[in-house]
Amino acid sequence: MALSADRPVGGLLFDRDDTLVIDVPYNADPHRVVPVPGARRAVQAAREAGLPVGVVTNQSVIARGGATREQVDATNARVDELVGPFAVWCVCPHGPEDDCPCRKPRPGLVLQAAERLGVPASDLVVIGDIGADVGAALAAGAQAILVPTPRTRPEEVDAAQTVAATIEEAVALALQHVPAATP
């Protein structure tokens, strides 16, 4: 499965947990951040291709009272240090019951990142590990690549239009659709 051949890729957005870093549930401790294999190389390849990169992440640990925004920001800064740098970080601090427009699978985080990057949402690809990541991308008019983990539900894999085995494979798929630079 592949991305749409007639849509250029102008930027990449990544989910944080289980996409860029090994998921530690509700992690707000920078010392517990461990990149997934290949994450740094994948993000570097995107940057070297001239693509802006960002992160879109639900962090309901804030709404649940398990961490402060400052703790989550410190954890994100550690991800940025180990895997990035990323041009933008868009974080939803709400819980599922808050009915906010930014929590994935709603499009708010993707649209916010598109605006901050100066890239139309339709030119973005969101790389994530669950159906909510794919849903947010599609709701915003972006494309998506699912990189399943053992926690990804089979129906999410079946429903995804584009699936990659690793983050490096996902970025390589996206890079095939980056328009050639004009002199």
Side-chain angles (χ1 to χ4, degrees):
M1 294 186 259
L3 297 173
S4 177
D6 61 345
R7 291 178 66 180
V9 173
L12 295 181
L13 300 176
F14 297 88
D15 171 57
R16 187 186 89 174
D17 300 317
D18 260 355
T19 301
L20 291 172
V21 298
I22 294 170
D23 186 28
V24 174
Y26 306 112
N27 186 27
D29 179 354
H31 299 98
R32 298 181 75 192
V33 172
V34 176
V36 300
R40 185 164 183 75
R41 287 187 303 272
V43 172
Q44 182 177 348
R47 283 196 321 271
E48 287 174 356
L51 292 178
V53 293
V55 179
V56 289
T57 181
N58 289 344
Q59 293 298 320
S60 66
V61 66
I62 298 168
R64 297 173 197 274
T68 65
R69 177 61 189 250
E70 291 75 22
Q71 289 171 309
V72 169
D73 288 346
T75 302
N76 292 343
R78 181 67 175 152
V79 176
D80 209 48
E81 179 184 317
L82 294 174
V83 181
F86 294 96
V88 297
W89 278 84
C90 296
V91 176
C92 173
H94 306 106
E97 64 285 342
D98 292 332
D99 197 33
C100 69
C102 58
R103 185 172 173 79
K104 295 180 290 181
R106 290 189 170 172
L109 290 178
V110 176
L111 295 172
Q112 182 184 85
E115 183 177 325
R116 290 177 55 197
L117 289 173
V119 176
S122 60
D123 291 354
L124 292 173
V125 172
V126 178
I127 298 173
D129 66 299
I130 61 172
D133 301 316
V134 173
L138 300 179
Q143 295 190 84
I145 301 173
L146 183 71
V147 180
T149 69
R151 284 189 278 208
T152 309
R153 296 189 327 255
E155 60 269 23
E156 294 173 319
V157 177
D158 293 342
Q161 193 170 13
T162 306
V163 178
T166 66
I167 189 172
E168 288 178 290
E169 182 182 313
V171 169
L173 283 170
L175 292 181
Q176 293 174 9
H177 300 279
V178 175
T182 54

mmCIF file of all heavy atoms in Angstrom, residues 18 23 26 32 38-39 46 66 73 95 117 136 140 164:
data_model
loop_
_atom_site.group_PDB
_atom_site.id
_atom_site.type_symbol
_atom_site.label_atom_id
_atom_site.label_comp_id
_atom_site.label_asym_id
_atom_site.label_seq_id
_atom_site.Cartn_x
_atom_site.Cartn_y
_atom_site.Cartn_z
ATOM 1 N N ASP A 18 5.177 5.222 21.070
ATOM 2 C CA ASP A 18 5.193 4.017 20.249
ATOM 3 C C ASP A 18 5.431 4.305 18.767
ATOM 4 O O ASP A 18 5.392 3.402 17.951
ATOM 5 C CB ASP A 18 3.925 3.165 20.421
ATOM 6 C CG ASP A 18 4.153 1.987 21.350
ATOM 7 O OD1 ASP A 18 5.303 1.766 21.779
ATOM 8 O OD2 ASP A 18 3.177 1.272 21.642
ATOM 9 N N ASP A 23 6.750 3.388 24.173
ATOM 10 C CA ASP A 23 5.669 3.884 25.024
ATOM 11 C C ASP A 23 5.856 3.439 26.470
ATOM 12 O O ASP A 23 5.970 2.254 26.765
ATOM 13 C CB ASP A 23 4.318 3.386 24.511
ATOM 14 C CG ASP A 23 3.145 3.989 25.270
ATOM 15 O OD1 ASP A 23 3.288 5.119 25.778
ATOM 16 O OD2 ASP A 23 2.100 3.332 25.364
ATOM 17 N N TYR A 26 1.619 7.074 30.069
ATOM 18 C CA TYR A 26 1.514 8.352 30.789
ATOM 19 C C TYR A 26 2.871 8.891 31.222
ATOM 20 O O TYR A 26 3.014 9.491 32.282
ATOM 21 C CB TYR A 26 0.556 8.239 31.982
ATOM 22 C CG TYR A 26 -0.796 7.718 31.576
ATOM 23 C CD1 TYR A 26 -1.238 6.464 31.973
ATOM 24 C CD2 TYR A 26 -1.628 8.481 30.764
ATOM 25 C CE1 TYR A 26 -2.473 5.981 31.578
ATOM 26 C CE2 TYR A 26 -2.862 8.012 30.361
ATOM 27 C CZ TYR A 26 -3.285 6.754 30.774
ATOM 28 O OH TYR A 26 -4.505 6.289 30.375
ATOM 29 N N ARG A 32 12.987 8.492 31.270
ATOM 30 C CA ARG A 32 12.416 7.229 30.793
ATOM 31 C C ARG A 32 12.207 7.227 29.281
ATOM 32 O O ARG A 32 11.625 6.294 28.740
ATOM 33 C CB ARG A 32 11.100 6.955 31.518
ATOM 34 C CG ARG A 32 11.312 6.791 33.030
ATOM 35 C CD ARG A 32 10.038 6.510 33.755
ATOM 36 N NE ARG A 32 9.650 5.110 33.504
ATOM 37 C CZ ARG A 32 8.461 4.623 33.819
ATOM 38 N NH1 ARG A 32 7.543 5.387 34.374
ATOM 39 N NH2 ARG A 32 8.176 3.362 33.560
ATOM 40 N N GLY A 38 15.621 3.216 14.931
ATOM 41 C CA GLY A 38 15.543 3.912 13.646
ATOM 42 C C GLY A 38 14.884 5.273 13.668
ATOM 43 O O GLY A 38 14.877 5.969 12.651
ATOM 44 N N ALA A 39 14.335 5.690 14.801
ATOM 45 C CA ALA A 39 13.600 6.966 14.841
ATOM 46 C C ALA A 39 14.498 8.149 14.494
ATOM 47 O O ALA A 39 14.120 9.004 13.679
ATOM 48 C CB ALA A 39 12.965 7.172 16.215
ATOM 49 N N ALA A 46 14.181 12.795 6.825
ATOM 50 C CA ALA A 46 13.135 13.743 6.431
ATOM 51 C C ALA A 46 13.682 15.168 6.412
ATOM 52 O O ALA A 46 13.445 15.925 5.464
ATOM 53 C CB ALA A 46 11.944 13.638 7.378
ATOM 54 N N GLY A 66 -1.920 13.274 36.437
ATOM 55 C CA GLY A 66 -0.731 12.466 36.665
ATOM 56 C C GLY A 66 0.565 13.188 36.382
ATOM 57 O O GLY A 66 1.636 12.705 36.733
ATOM 58 N N ASP A 73 6.200 18.787 28.926
ATOM 59 C CA ASP A 73 7.086 19.571 28.051
ATOM 60 C C ASP A 73 8.551 19.158 28.239
ATOM 61 O O ASP A 73 9.312 19.102 27.264
ATOM 62 C CB ASP A 73 6.918 21.068 28.310
ATOM 63 C CG ASP A 73 5.602 21.619 27.782
ATOM 64 O OD1 ASP A 73 4.916 20.930 26.983
ATOM 65 O OD2 ASP A 73 5.246 22.751 28.175
ATOM 66 N N GLY A 95 -8.427 14.944 28.253
ATOM 67 C CA GLY A 95 -8.806 13.543 28.345
ATOM 68 C C GLY A 95 -9.886 13.229 27.323
ATOM 69 O O GLY A 95 -10.487 14.138 26.729
ATOM 70 N N LEU A 117 3.626 25.219 10.753
ATOM 71 C CA LEU A 117 4.683 24.883 9.795
ATOM 72 C C LEU A 117 4.563 25.692 8.509
ATOM 73 O O LEU A 117 5.513 25.736 7.722
ATOM 74 C CB LEU A 117 4.641 23.387 9.445
ATOM 75 C CG LEU A 117 5.066 22.412 10.529
ATOM 76 C CD1 LEU A 117 4.797 20.985 10.077
ATOM 77 C CD2 LEU A 117 6.521 22.604 10.906
ATOM 78 N N ALA A 136 -6.979 11.284 12.705
ATOM 79 C CA ALA A 136 -6.691 12.721 12.795
ATOM 80 C C ALA A 136 -6.153 13.246 11.474
ATOM 81 O O ALA A 136 -6.538 14.322 11.019
ATOM 82 C CB ALA A 136 -5.697 12.992 13.920
ATOM 83 N N ALA A 140 -8.177 15.932 8.957
ATOM 84 C CA ALA A 140 -7.549 17.223 8.639
ATOM 85 C C ALA A 140 -7.262 17.370 7.148
ATOM 86 O O ALA A 140 -6.817 18.433 6.708
ATOM 87 C CB ALA A 140 -6.257 17.386 9.433
ATOM 88 N N ALA A 164 3.369 0.689 7.119
ATOM 89 C CA ALA A 164 4.809 0.439 7.014
ATOM 90 C C ALA A 164 5.241 -0.381 8.217
ATOM 91 O O ALA A 164 4.659 -0.267 9.301
ATOM 92 C CB ALA A 164 5.574 1.756 6.965
#
